[in-house]
């Protein structure tokens, strides 16, 4: 794995977790979620759960971004699948 920067899914998750969380919403009366490009997210150096989930999903194989709600409102997380013979 010498040709990979992030050696494992754990390393990818750790990398993404080091980027600070900051809720990002559009200005105005209504609460509107704003999904940013990965370039914008990494340039800002912070982002919300959607930004973190999309970046982690991009770093993993066979991963999906899930969108739902929790006690704080809308939320996003990453779902991964183990290989069939794992």
């Amino acid at each position: 794995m010498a040709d990979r920067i992030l050696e494992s899914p754990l390393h990818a998750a750790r990398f993404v977790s080091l980027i600070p969380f900051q809720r990002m919403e559009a200005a105005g009366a209504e609460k509107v979620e704003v999904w940013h490009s990965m370039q914008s997210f990494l340039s800002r150096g912070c982002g919300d759960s959607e930004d973190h989930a999309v970046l982690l999903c991009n770093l993993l194989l066979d991963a999906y971004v899930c969108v739902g709600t929790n006690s704080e409102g809308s939320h996003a997380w990453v779902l991964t699948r183990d290989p069939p013979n794992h």
Side-chain angles (χ1 to χ4, degrees):
M1 294 217 176
D3 59 335
R4 296 184 63 142
I5 293 173
L6 299 170
E7 294 182 6
S8 72
L10 183 60
H11 286 97
R14 174 72 175 142
F15 170 74
V16 173
S17 75
L18 293 173
I19 301 170
F21 177 85
Q22 182 178 357
R23 186 167 299 283
M24 304 280 184
E25 294 173 352
E30 285 188 43
K31 232 180 164 178
V32 178
E33 286 292 333
V34 178
W35 289 61
H36 299 93
S37 70
M38 289 302 91
Q39 181 180 2
S40 172
F41 171 46
L42 292 171
S43 294
R44 276 193 332 273
C46 64
D48 60 14
S49 62
E50 292 84 3
D51 296 322
H52 284 83
V54 171
L55 177 59
L56 181 57
C57 192
N58 283 316
L59 296 172
L60 300 173
L61 299 175
D62 204 10
Y64 305 86
V65 173
C66 302
V67 180
T69 59
N70 64 12
S71 61
E72 297 176 10
S74 65
H75 189 66
W77 62 94
V78 175
L79 169 74
T80 60
R81 296 184 337 168
D82 285 333
N85 297 327
H86 188 70

